[in-house]
Amino acid sequence: MASGRNLPFPDNSFSAAWSMSTLLHVPNSRIHDVVHELVRVSAPGAPIAVGLWSGEDVEVLNPEDDEEPRRFFSRRSDDAAREIFGAHGDVEHFRTWPEGVGDESGPGNGAWNQHYQFLVLRTPSSPNQVAPSAVLGPQNGT
């Protein structure tokens, strides 16, 4: 086990990275540290696929959890997700789809207003390259 803020791999170790329904448990105060580490261990120009449950830019403990400690969720709007990831590379793909029902629903068991977000972040082609999305803003990558 390792911290997402200090991954135990050398720079440029992976040709691609993938994180589904994980980074939504990282608080906003730490998300840039974690995304920076994903970019650091990924090769220049590598794709990083990310899936998240959306929200209204709130951080909450899941009220439906029966056991303590309850799970933490940082629920980010589409604009916030684009801005966060765009600060670390080019968001070249961003799509959403509605939450399912019953067993297909996400956290909150249908009680939260949410949808699923999927994006592909392309790491900069060189470590010193400024991410285009960081310059142009969150509208880039749609």
Side-chain angles (χ1 to χ4, degrees):
M1 188 175 342
S3 168
R5 296 186 313 267
N6 187 19
L7 296 172
F9 305 105
D11 293 358
N12 307 325
S13 292
F14 302 100
S15 59
W18 180 82
S19 174
M20 293 299 141
S21 300
T22 304
L23 298 178
L24 56 91
H25 299 292
V26 176
N28 287 329
S29 63
R30 298 290 191 183
I31 190 65
H32 285 285
D33 298 338
V34 173
V35 177
H36 174 79
E37 275 295 277
L38 285 171
V39 170
R40 181 188 66 77
V41 301
S42 299
I48 300 175
V50 177
L52 304 162
W53 284 101
S54 72
E56 298 168 353
D57 295 318
V58 296
E59 295 187 320
V60 298
L61 296 177
N62 188 354
E64 285 83 26
D65 283 351
D66 294 329
E67 296 181 23
E68 295 290 338
R70 293 181 292 160
R71 293 173 297 160
F72 171 86
F73 287 87
S74 186
R75 303 180 63 238
R76 300 175 180 102
S77 67
D78 295 346
D79 286 342
R82 284 185 184 106
E83 184 175 345
I84 288 165
F85 290 93
H88 299 274
D90 184 28
V91 178
E92 63 180 31
H93 179 85
F94 188 92
R95 297 290 181 266
T96 66
W97 57 89
E99 177 179 21
V101 295
D103 290 341
E104 299 297 318
S105 70
N109 295 320
W112 293 354
N113 180 20
Q114 64 189 354
H115 56 266
Y116 204 73
Q117 302 161 321
F118 176 78
L119 65 92
V120 175
L121 172 68
R122 182 71 60 175
T123 64
S125 57
S126 72
N128 298 325
Q129 181 181 350
V130 175
S133 300
V135 174
L136 298 176
Q139 74 279 359
N140 191 35
T142 56

